[in-house]
């Protein structure tokens, strides 16, 4: 329950009967806002914990707001259909607050679909305004056996939201007996991050997963070969973007990674070839981007789940290449 | 830089949107579809701030579908446009305004084709032709590589050939 206390998450579409007893006291009767007028009184279809925007007002650590907030916006729409998003905040009184310490940004992560599943790679440097805070961090976090997520942006935010997402997906699986699809998980994550839009929360995640069952995968059958396989790739950003695609690279080193991926990635690659392309793309990005470096992690998601390659130090790769080239002056 | 255009004809509405989903200067997706099907004969084209577009358009889309489920008939394009405008206006002075520019195109069985222009300040205007953004090919410094084109007539929504600007 620690996460719940931390973020004061509350349940969406709570039954009217249990609205009072299940949620903890939040100070205001926020639990009821969702339920008023809801047509689904006790169906209890979805039990997802979504952060209430009111949390941002009550937190002792005031979130750094990067957009000046306008006051008094009771955006209640009585004539709109009841199954709608939570109404806007009644009174927004917070103003711009600087962050207490610089947050960590800067990374190279990438993922692409191919015939063998999803290939995911990332560097391992955690930087913090010019200081390498951790040379061996983990930027690819497994969420469940068939879903991994890359993290980019603020490391702390990514780690927390991945844990929250993992919890919600696990609860869904226990309640309904089946896994959420990758794009469904992406939609859930995007919706959970939406109340924090405009604050300094920065999460850029690519969810890479294998959707079980015959009808998994792509939205464009016929156009996209991955509709036959269950491999699925979805990019979610804290500004609300949610894109489904076949190739994504995120982070400060992504332009360099894209240059390798755009020419090297094809659907028919073997596993070894795809691993080589992914490794090379991260290597090139770490070579040129100051905020990416140290080692590279490569994961692959297939129908059997995710597998991980041993972490490899790119310093060795750099020296190997120097030797191959006969040590040109650089 | 995104682009939408709509043209109303005597018994059809022709709409086109570019296909780029961008993240600062990089194209994340070359085949993004910016048109959202609200009903059999209504399309909502939506551009603007990164997350707001899909969130707002999907919200409108689901609510229009809910209306049909509850009442048994579909909203007319004019009603859908006004509903969209009202929602945009309600959120405008809240903590989370939606920065989206929209075109709503539809065919009403009684009134015929209709094209509605909406901007992020929730201005609504019914117009014979309308656009958002810059789509010039010869004079503009940036070139959008491809466009999705659709036409709505009394039979419904039809896809037309995707326009691409030459090789590469």
């Amino acid at each position: 329950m620690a996460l719940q206390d931390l973020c004061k998450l509350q349940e969406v579409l709570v039954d009217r009967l249990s609205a009072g007893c299940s949620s903890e006291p939040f100070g205001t009767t926020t639990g009821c806002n969702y339920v008023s007028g809801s047509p689904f009184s006790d169906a209890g279809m979805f039990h997802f914990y979504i952060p209430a925007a009111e949390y941002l007002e009550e937190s002792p650590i005031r979130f750094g707001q990067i957009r000046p907030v306008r006051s008094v916006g009771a955006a209640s729409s009585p004539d709109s259909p009841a199954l709608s998003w939570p109404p806007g905040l009644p009174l927004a009184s917070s103003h711009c607050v600087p962050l207490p310490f610089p947050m960590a940004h800067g990374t190279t992560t990438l993922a692409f679909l191919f015939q063998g599943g999803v290939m995911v790679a990332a560097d391992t440097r955690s930087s913090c305004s010019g200081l390498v805070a951790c040379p061996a961090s983990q930027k690819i976090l497994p969420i469940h056996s068939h879903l991994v997520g890359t993290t980019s942006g603020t490391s702390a935010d990514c780690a927390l939201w991945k844990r929250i997402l993992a919890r919600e997906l696990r609860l869904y699986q226990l309640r309904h007996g089946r896994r959420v699809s990758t794009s469904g998980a992406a939609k859930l994550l995007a919706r959970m991050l939406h109340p924090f839009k405009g604050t300094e929360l920065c999460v850029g995640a690519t969810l890479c997963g294998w959707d079980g069952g015959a009808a998994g995968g792509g939205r464009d059958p016929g156009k996209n070969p991955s509709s036959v396989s269950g491999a699925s790739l979805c990019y979610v950003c804290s500004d609300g973007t949610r894109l489904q695609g076949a190739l994504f690279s995120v982070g400060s080193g992504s332009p360099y990674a894209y240059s390798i991926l755009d020419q090297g990635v094809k659907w028919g690659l073997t596993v070894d070839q795809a691993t080589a392309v992914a490794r090379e793309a991260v290597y090139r990005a770490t070579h040129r981007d100051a905020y990416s470096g140290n080692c590279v992690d490569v994961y692959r998601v297939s129908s059997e789940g995710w597998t991980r390659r041993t972490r490899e130090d790119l310093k060795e790769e750099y020296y190997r290449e120097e030797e191959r080239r006969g040590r040109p002056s650089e | 830089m995104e682009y939408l255009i709509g043209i109303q004809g005597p018994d059809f509405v022709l709409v086109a949107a570019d296909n780029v989903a961008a993240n600062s200067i990089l194209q994340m997706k070359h085949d993004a579809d910016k048109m959202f099907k609200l009903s059999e004969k209504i399309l909502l084209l939506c551009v603007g701030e990164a997350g707001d577009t899909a969130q707002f358009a999907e919200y409108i889309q689901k609510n229009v579908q809910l209306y049909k489920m509850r009442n048994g008939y579909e909203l007319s394009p004019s009603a859908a446009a006004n509903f969209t405008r009202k929602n945009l206006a309600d959120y405008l002075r809240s903590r989370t305004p939606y920065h989206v520019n929209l075109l709503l195109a539809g065919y009403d069985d009684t009134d015929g084709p209709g094209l509605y222009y909406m901007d992020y300040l929730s201005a609504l205007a019914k117009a014979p032709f309308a656009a958002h953004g810059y789509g010039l090919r010869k004079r503009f410094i940036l070139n959008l590589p491809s466009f999705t084109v659709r036409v709505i007539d009394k039979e419904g929504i039809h896809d037309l050939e995707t326009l691409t600007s030459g090789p590469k």
Side-chain angles (χ1 to χ4, degrees):
Chain A
M1 289 294 123
L3 275 179
Q4 202 163 327
D5 294 331
L6 183 65
C7 296
K8 295 203 175 164
L9 304 186
Q10 67 183 71
E11 204 163 15
V12 181
L13 293 182
V14 173
D15 310 12
R16 273 180 215 247
L17 302 170
S18 55
C21 47
S22 68
S23 48
E24 303 178 51
F26 293 143
T28 55
T29 54
T30 51
C32 298
N33 282 348
Y34 293 92
V35 197
S36 53
S38 164
F40 301 102
S41 57
D42 60 356
M45 289 192 313
F46 299 117
H47 295 267
F48 291 130
Y49 279 84
I50 307 256
E54 284 86 352
Y55 166 63
L56 294 178
E57 303 305 305
E58 294 166 11
S59 166
I61 309 172
R62 298 291 215 93
F63 269 110
Q65 306 274 38
I66 53 179
R67 267 202 329 228
V69 177
R70 294 184 229 155
S71 59
V72 194
S76 57
S77 2
D79 45 335
S80 69
L83 190 63
S84 57
W85 283 12
L89 281 194
L91 276 175
S93 56
S94 58
H95 44 275
C96 290
V97 172
L99 289 175
F101 44 79
M103 299 290 197
H105 284 254
T107 184
T108 306
T109 66
L110 59 95
F112 57 88
L113 300 180
F114 72 114
Q115 55 81 20
V118 193
M119 185 61 63
V120 192
D123 74 311
T124 59
R125 175 178 291 182
S126 255
S127 56
C128 192
S129 324
L131 161 75
V132 177
C134 177
S137 57
Q138 179 129 1
K139 297 194 189 179
I140 305 181
L141 302 174
I143 297 178
H144 62 66
S145 61
H146 286 73
L147 181 66
V148 300
T150 67
T151 68
S152 152
T154 312
S155 320
D157 288 332
C158 290
L160 174 67
W161 285 105
K162 285 283 163 58
R163 277 194 73 192
I164 295 176
L165 181 67
R167 183 190 71 168
E168 290 307 314
L169 296 183
R170 179 68 180 143
L171 286 173
Y172 183 94
Q173 185 181 357
L174 289 171
R175 287 182 180 131
H176 300 269
R178 61 186 176 91
R179 280 204 298 261
V180 184
S181 67
T182 311
S183 75
K187 195 152 203 175
L188 178 61
L189 183 61
R191 220 195 127 174
M192 289 202 287
L193 294 176
H194 184 76
F196 299 97
K197 184 164 177 156
T199 67
E200 289 267 6
L201 184 91
C202 185
V203 171
T206 358
L207 294 180
C208 324
W210 185 280
D211 301 330
R219 276 179 185 173
D220 320 302
K223 244 208 269 185
N224 197 348
S226 75
S227 60
V228 203
S229 79
S232 188
L233 184 53
C234 218
Y235 167 66
V236 179
C237 188
S238 53
D239 65 7
T241 313
R242 190 181 140 259
L243 298 171
Q244 185 146 8
L247 168 67
F248 286 112
S249 175
V250 187
S252 54
S254 65
Y256 311 105
Y258 268 123
S259 65
I260 303 293
L261 295 172
D262 281 336
Q263 65 182 23
V265 168
K266 295 173 209 357
W267 176 259
L269 293 175
T270 65
V271 175
D272 289 333
Q273 288 170 334
T275 312
V277 170
R279 234 177 105 259
E280 180 72 10
V282 175
Y283 171 61
R284 293 291 158 201
T286 57
H287 188 51
R288 284 292 172 186
D289 180 33
Y291 296 107
S292 309
N294 296 104
C295 310
V296 58
D297 278 332
V298 180
Y299 280 62
R300 181 170 83 100
V301 186
S302 63
S303 56
E304 292 108 36
W306 58 262
T307 50
R308 180 197 173 161
R309 212 163 154 270
T310 328
R311 174 172 285 191
E312 195 180 330
D313 194 341
L314 288 172
K315 188 174 57 196
E316 329 262 317
E317 178 64 30
Y318 174 71
Y319 288 124
R320 274 200 291 270
E321 192 175 15
E322 288 279 281
E323 273 185 43
R324 273 200 298 269
R325 288 198 194 169
R327 293 195 167 268
S329 54
E330 231 200 20
Chain B
M1 254 296 73
E2 303 180 281
Y3 183 65
L4 300 177
I5 186 170
I7 302 176
Q8 179 190 329
D11 57 355
F12 66 88
V13 188
L14 182 66
V15 287
D18 74 290
N19 284 336
V20 171
N23 187 359
S24 74
I25 55 167
L26 294 180
Q27 285 185 21
M28 300 286 288
K29 223 167 126 74
H30 314 280
D31 53 357
D33 193 357
K34 304 190 184 180
M35 304 196 195
F36 294 84
K37 184 175 152 184
L38 297 190
S39 74
E40 289 308 312
K41 295 182 190 167
I42 307 183
L43 272 181
L44 180 70
L45 288 78
C46 194
V47 292
E49 192 172 327
D52 289 351
T53 49
Q55 307 266 30
F56 183 74
E58 281 180 4
Y59 170 59
I60 299 294
Q61 186 182 42
K62 302 311 172 203
N63 275 311
V64 171
Q65 286 166 359
L66 180 67
Y67 185 95
K68 181 182 174 184
M69 282 182 217
R70 280 188 169 149
N71 302 297
Y73 63 92
E74 291 180 336
L75 275 174
S76 66
S78 154
N82 278 290
F83 169 69
T84 309
R85 189 213 70 80
K86 177 79 166 64
N87 268 290
L88 209 48
D90 285 340
Y91 277 104
L92 185 62
R93 290 194 170 84
S94 73
R95 236 193 110 258
T96 54
Y98 286 103
H99 198 291
V100 291
N101 292 315
L102 308 161
L103 286 184
L104 192 142
Y107 189 93
D108 194 5
D109 292 323
T110 41
D111 297 331
L115 177 67
Y116 296 85
Y117 168 99
M118 254 175 287
D119 71 0
Y120 69 100
L121 297 169
S122 67
L124 172 67
K126 186 174 190 305
F129 52 87
H132 283 290
Y134 300 97
L136 315 164
R137 191 174 287 182
K138 248 177 113 175
R139 290 289 171 187
F140 195 51
I141 48 173
L142 300 177
N143 261 333
L144 291 167
S146 69
F147 302 85
T148 309
V149 186
R150 295 202 167 101
V151 67
I152 312 178
D153 58 17
K154 65 179 184 338
E155 314 285 321
I157 302 174
H158 312 282
D159 284 1
L160 298 180
E161 195 186 318
T162 306
L163 297 174
T164 49
S165 61
K168 203 267 175 202

